Amino acid sequence: MNQTAAYIPVADIAENIEVKADNVAEHGSGDIPQPDGDQQQEHVASPRRWPAVLGALLTIAAWVLLFWSGFGSFCTAGAALVVSLFGIRGRLRNLAITSIVAASVLMLVFAIFEGLIFYMLRAV
């Protein structure tokens, strides 16, 4: 039987050994050096949730406002879109994306309605 040799990544192993040897020579142990207690950050700020929640509330308000004022609803949806864009990097990312989609749909539908239907009928 003809057996093939298994691939052994010798270059990767040698590079790893060299990096570990450099770390040991520099810091005295094979572990990654940790900063002292004074250098560590005591409090890491968590991502904010309020832009996503505020964007969702503004989007809901824009859809409700659509019953009374189309232009006010359009402006509120624009504000919701901008606020929700800041919420994408937070914890409630899915809520922010949903708010962006809902506000964009409202703005698109209102712009199409006002732009095409209203002005086209007015031109006739």
Side-chain angles (χ1 to χ4, degrees), residues 79-108:
L81 183 70
V82 170
V83 171
S84 295
L85 286 174
F86 289 110
I88 285 182
R89 299 193 74 180
R91 285 184 172 177
L92 299 175
R93 179 186 172 138
N94 292 337
L95 180 64
I97 291 173
T98 304
S99 299
I100 289 170
V101 170
S104 299
V105 166
L106 185 133
M107 292 176 71
L108 182 66

Side-chain angles (χ1 to χ4, degrees), residues 38-112:
D38 297 337
Q39 296 175 354
Q40 290 181 351
Q41 294 180 351
E42 293 182 13
H43 182 265
V44 177
S46 62
R48 296 184 181 181
R49 296 181 206 164
W50 68 266
V53 174
L54 183 62
L57 291 176
L58 282 172
T59 302
I60 292 170
W63 278 98
V64 171
L65 189 61
L66 187 60
F67 288 113
W68 293 283
S69 171
F71 186 71
S73 175
F74 187 81
C75 292
T76 307
L81 183 70
V82 170
V83 171
S84 295
L85 286 174
F86 289 110
I88 285 182
R89 299 193 74 180
R91 285 184 172 177
L92 299 175
R93 179 186 172 138
N94 292 337
L95 180 64
I97 291 173
T98 304
S99 299
I100 289 170
V101 170
S104 299
V105 166
L106 185 133
M107 292 176 71
L108 182 66
V109 168
F110 182 75
I112 289 172

Side-chain angles (χ1 to χ4, degrees), residues 15-31:
E15 183 179 314
N16 190 14
I17 291 171
E18 289 174 10
V19 170
K20 186 144 180 124
D22 291 341
N23 196 18
V24 169
E26 186 177 327
H27 300 289
S29 69
D31 297 334

